[in-house]
Amino acid sequence: MNQRRFGLLCAVMLGFGQLCMFTGFDAESFILESVIHSIHEREPERISSYAGYYGQAVIYAFYMISCLFSPSIAAVSTPKINLILAATFFSAFPLGFLFTNSYYYYASSALVGIGFALFYQGQGGYLTSHSTRNTIESNVSISWSVGSCCMILGSAIMATITHLSSATTEHIMGSLNVTSEAHKMERQFGELEINLLFSAFTGISVLGIITFFVMPSKDVENCIESSSEKKETFLEALKLTCSTLVSPTMLQLFPLFVLSGFNTSFWLSVFPTAMSFTMQNSKLIYLAAVYSLGVGSGEVIIGLAISFLSKRIKDFGQKPTMTIGAIFITMYCAMIHMSTPYDAPIRPTSKEPLFFGHSYLLALIIGLFCGIGDCCVNSVRSVICALLMPKRRPQAFSVSKIYHAFGSTILFFMSPITPLYVYTIGLPILAIIATILFFSISKRTQIMERKMTEASKNAAEIGKKLNF
């Protein structure tokens, strides 16, 4: 097998492993608070009613802390080991829902947070060791495209299992002559549906471990950065990460990084919970699956569009992409504001929305806009971290994720008491602030790149004259 095909194989396998890891996690996040609320109502002593929010706060708190050390771990480990450990930690989380217990739940949440940090360090290291300067953009795009299908696959799993379990439930209700009064409540998840869902999520997560285990570990020729060459010690990498954390430039990008955390957590968990807690949606049992399909489709469509346009329009991945992201975040927040009761993220509610209620079509459109906005913001974050500090790329990426996780942690801890309108008004405002500050940093980065390019050309011309 030639080097190009070998690199493509590695990129596809990495993307497939990511798909397996995140299919369960993303689908779980859509329904987690609703599932736990359903368990709590049946057995209050097993778990707290808001453990869904608090558990995700624990995930991102440990993710934030782990990101501080992940570049140091990468300095003494290998990308493949980090990926296997990350997939193992992710697999432990859905397994706990087959025997729901508060202690295991929070412990496995902490492991998922650590797994996040290990995965992103392993992913970046694996790509750079299996790509050259000429193939890195293609490999990243291929890996990301395969991995981003996780929400589409998650949508199919949720729809199939919901259909099977609802048919069984309706048969039981019919045999017991249960009236339609049962529909005058929020979306409920029965024991059968929970067991089927989380068994499927566990199974596909285990497939991710197997995929990472059998991936080739040999570097390609002329790779960007070999996984076997360690440039820093654990402590040296930690000191570099700490100094990057308080860098004035990174602090100026703080609103962008926090926006990515707030935004992802809102569309991934808070809004799906609000749909489930809205009693008018009790008969729309496929809402979460349709919404997940919309988000996944939006991510893939805009990702391919950014990849295509970036090859034809210089710096399209910076200011234009950030602008598109801010616009779509504002649009989906406006749609949610008009269609969702203000107290829906906090408790089951029968209150009426401002203008119109939810439907499958609306959930699909909102999901599509969420996916577009999220992909744009995260693409911009990746681009600016890669360009802004060329000598500290691992540290810049880790710091961006620390701030991202900080935003998510705050959001989830506050979610049990925060009305919906705080999110739908606050996110667009933060997006505007982040866009303004990003434009300033982007302009400065482009000027720096031009100066570096001119200096390289001048050095090359001087070298030609000396040789002549």
Side-chain angles (χ1 to χ4, degrees):
M1 184 181 295
N2 63 37
Q3 288 293 298
R4 181 59 188 137
R5 290 182 179 178
F6 179 70
L8 284 172
L9 173 65
C10 293
V12 170
M13 293 188 71
L14 177 63
F16 183 75
Q18 178 184 349
L19 180 149
C20 295
M21 270 184 60
F22 283 96
T23 292
F25 178 77
D26 288 343
E28 290 157 9
S29 298
F30 286 137
I31 61 174
L32 188 59
E33 174 57 31
S34 303
V35 166
I36 287 180
H37 192 85
S38 298
I39 295 172
H40 173 80
E41 288 195 340
R42 288 192 293 271
E43 300 179 70
E45 70 282 354
R46 285 181 72 181
I47 198 164
S48 166
S49 61
Y50 289 117
Y53 285 142
Y54 292 140
Q56 289 179 93
V58 170
I59 289 174
Y60 285 98
F62 274 82
Y63 178 27
M64 176 176 63
I65 296 169
S66 301
C67 282
L68 186 64
F69 298 97
S70 58
S72 302
I73 295 172
V76 297
S77 182
T78 66
K80 185 171 179 176
I81 291 175
N82 291 342
L83 291 169
I84 293 172
L85 286 174
T88 303
F89 292 164
F90 269 71
S91 299
F93 184 75
L95 184 64
F97 282 84
L98 304 181
F99 51 89
T100 307
N101 175 279
S102 291
Y103 297 106
Y104 183 90
Y105 170 71
Y106 286 113
S108 62
S109 296
L111 288 177
V112 170
I114 298 170
F116 256 124
L118 291 175
F119 171 76
Y120 285 118
Q121 280 297 329
Q123 180 193 49
Y126 192 81
L127 282 170
T128 53
S129 65
H130 290 81
S131 305
T132 66
R133 294 284 183 183
N134 295 327
T135 63
I136 182 64
E137 291 184 3
S138 175
N139 287 351
V140 168
S141 177
I142 290 169
S143 176
W144 180 88
S145 297
V146 174
S148 292
C149 294
C150 62
M151 281 176 285
I152 298 175
L153 177 58
S155 169
I157 292 173
M158 285 192 290
T160 301
I161 292 177
T162 297
H163 175 73
L164 294 174
S165 60
S166 65
T168 303
T169 302
E170 287 178 4
H171 175 73
I172 294 173
M173 289 174 64
S175 64
L176 296 175
N177 294 320
V178 177
T179 67
S180 60
E181 292 294 318
H183 289 297
K184 296 181 180 179
M185 61 192 334
E186 75 278 8
R187 167 77 160 93
Q188 292 281 322
F189 288 83
E191 286 292 337
L192 175 62
E193 187 174 6
I194 292 172
N195 289 335
L196 290 174
L197 282 170
F198 286 89
S199 295
F201 296 153
T202 301
I204 197 167
S205 297
V206 171
L207 184 58
I209 301 175
I210 297 172
T211 301
F212 289 143
F213 185 79
V214 300
M215 282 195 315
S217 56
K218 180 183 177 182
D219 298 343
V220 300
E221 294 179 7
N222 301 317
C223 64
I224 295 174
E225 187 172 351
S226 174
S227 60
S228 59
E229 295 179 7
K230 307 300 179 184
K231 298 180 180 180
E232 301 157 344
T233 65
F234 184 93
L235 288 178
E236 287 173 345
L238 180 59
K239 290 177 182 178
L240 200 56
T241 302
C242 291
S243 64
T244 306
L245 184 65
V246 295
S247 165
T249 303
M250 297 302 285
L251 290 175
Q252 191 171 344
L253 287 170
F254 179 82
L256 172 63
F257 301 149
V258 172
L259 171 67
S260 67
F262 282 164
N263 181 58
T264 299
S265 301
F266 178 68
W267 66 256
L268 190 62
S269 180
V270 175
F271 176 59
T273 298
M275 287 195 293
S276 295
F277 277 1
T278 301
M279 293 187 181
Q280 290 87 341
N281 297 339
S282 61
K283 293 184 180 180
L284 302 176
I285 60 175
Y286 300 106
L287 263 184
V290 172
Y291 174 71
S292 178
L293 175 63
V295 175
S297 300
E299 294 268 8
V300 173
I301 290 169
I302 193 63
L304 295 175
I306 292 171
S307 177
F308 176 80
L309 293 172
S310 294
K311 296 177 182 178
R312 289 156 179 79
I313 303 174
K314 183 175 174 55
D315 296 325
F316 181 83
Q318 296 186 48
K319 292 180 182 179
T321 300
M322 184 67 206
T323 303
I324 294 170
I327 290 172
F328 274 91
I329 288 173
T330 302
M331 290 172 63
Y332 89 69
C333 282
M335 297 175 72
I336 292 173
H337 189 95
M338 292 185 289
S339 64
T340 311
Y342 74 93
D343 60 342
I346 305 172
R347 64 183 70 89
T349 180
S350 59
K351 295 186 184 300
E352 295 292 329
L354 289 178
F355 293 101
F356 46 82
H358 296 142
S359 66
Y360 288 132
L361 178 60
L362 181 64
L364 183 67
I365 295 172
I366 291 176
L368 191 69
F369 287 6
C370 288
I372 292 173
D374 180 70
C375 181
C376 288
V377 169
N378 283 290
S379 294
V380 163
R381 182 185 65 175
S382 297
V383 169
I384 200 65
C385 286
L387 298 178
L388 195 59
M389 294 183 170
K391 295 182 179 180
R392 298 189 188 186
R393 285 193 181 99
Q395 286 73 27
F397 280 111
S398 289
V399 168
S400 74
K401 294 183 180 76
I402 288 173
Y403 291 143
H404 172 109
F406 172 77
S408 295
T409 302
I410 296 298
L411 182 141
F412 282 124
F413 270 125
M414 297 301 295
S415 289
I417 59 172
T418 305
L420 180 81
Y421 298 163
V422 173
Y423 305 114
T424 55
I425 296 173
L427 277 173
I429 293 174
L430 183 58
I432 293 170
I433 295 171
T435 301
I436 293 171
L437 292 174
F438 175 78
F439 272 38
S440 173
I441 291 288
S442 178
K443 183 178 180 181
R444 192 189 314 167
T445 303
Q446 290 168 8
I447 292 173
M448 178 186 70
E449 286 187 306
R450 281 198 296 269
K451 288 181 178 178
M452 292 174 62
T453 302
E454 290 173 1
S456 298
K457 288 181 179 178
N458 291 336
E461 290 177 0
I462 292 173
K464 288 180 180 179
K465 289 180 180 178
L466 290 175
N467 291 331
F468 179 76

